[in-house]
Amino acid sequence: MSSSSSSAEFRCSVVVQPLAEQTDPAQERWAFQYTVTIENVGKVPAQLVARQWRILDARGQVEEVKGLAVVGHQPYLQPGQRFQYSSWAQIGTPQGSMSGRYLCVTEDAEIFYAEVPEFLLADTSQLH
């Protein structure tokens, strides 16, 4: 299982925003919504099957999240198609980060991973 396939490739990008209604500094809980766009930039159709996230807060606390699908979907994408979804995460510090990957499979049962580069969980309006 490698991501060295020359014909199958998903590209992922993420936009983050703070979730004020789920944030409670007195309880040391900060929440962030993230919106992921997944684009099939490869040459063959493929399906996203599962996800794996690594969520890190500023104290070094790590939470691993694994499971099938994303928000109840296992999108099947033709070359050039995109799928976008939003979810959220909560951490114990005002700042942290996330990174992850999606397990994907082509029609020929070729397995590959779509990497989600590390992104910041922070209220950028509060950063100096």
Side-chain angles (χ1 to χ4, degrees):
M1 292 204 266
S2 75
S3 58
S4 62
S5 167
S6 59
S7 60
E9 182 183 357
F10 284 1
R11 182 182 309 139
C12 305
S13 59
V14 182
V15 175
V16 177
Q17 62 185 31
L19 270 179
E21 62 274 11
Q22 299 293 332
T23 295
D24 185 353
Q27 297 292 318
E28 294 190 339
R29 290 193 311 240
W30 285 265
F32 302 92
Q33 176 180 300
Y34 56 93
T35 300
V36 181
T37 302
I38 303 157
E39 181 180 9
N40 184 343
V41 296
K43 298 182 177 109
V44 297
Q47 184 170 23
L48 185 155
V49 178
R51 72 195 181 286
Q52 178 178 355
W53 288 110
R54 182 176 186 271
I55 307 166
L56 178 68
D57 73 14
R59 292 188 196 111
Q61 290 287 106
V62 176
E63 180 182 359
E64 296 276 346
V65 178
K66 297 179 183 180
L68 292 174
V70 291
V71 294
H73 297 278
Q74 292 181 318
Y76 178 80
L77 301 176
Q78 296 287 339
Q81 280 189 317
R82 295 178 179 195
F83 177 78
Q84 187 174 73
Y85 75 94
S86 294
S87 189
W88 66 288
Q90 195 170 59
I91 58 176
T93 58
Q95 196 170 313
S97 66
M98 279 180 70
S99 60
R101 66 183 185 170
Y102 301 111
L103 171 69
C104 306
V105 64
T106 67
E107 288 181 325
D108 295 332
E110 177 187 353
I111 294 171
F112 68 100
Y113 289 97
E115 300 292 330
V116 181
E118 185 174 26
F119 57 93
L120 188 64
L121 296 175
D123 183 349
T124 53
S125 71
Q126 302 295 311
L127 298 179
H128 300 287

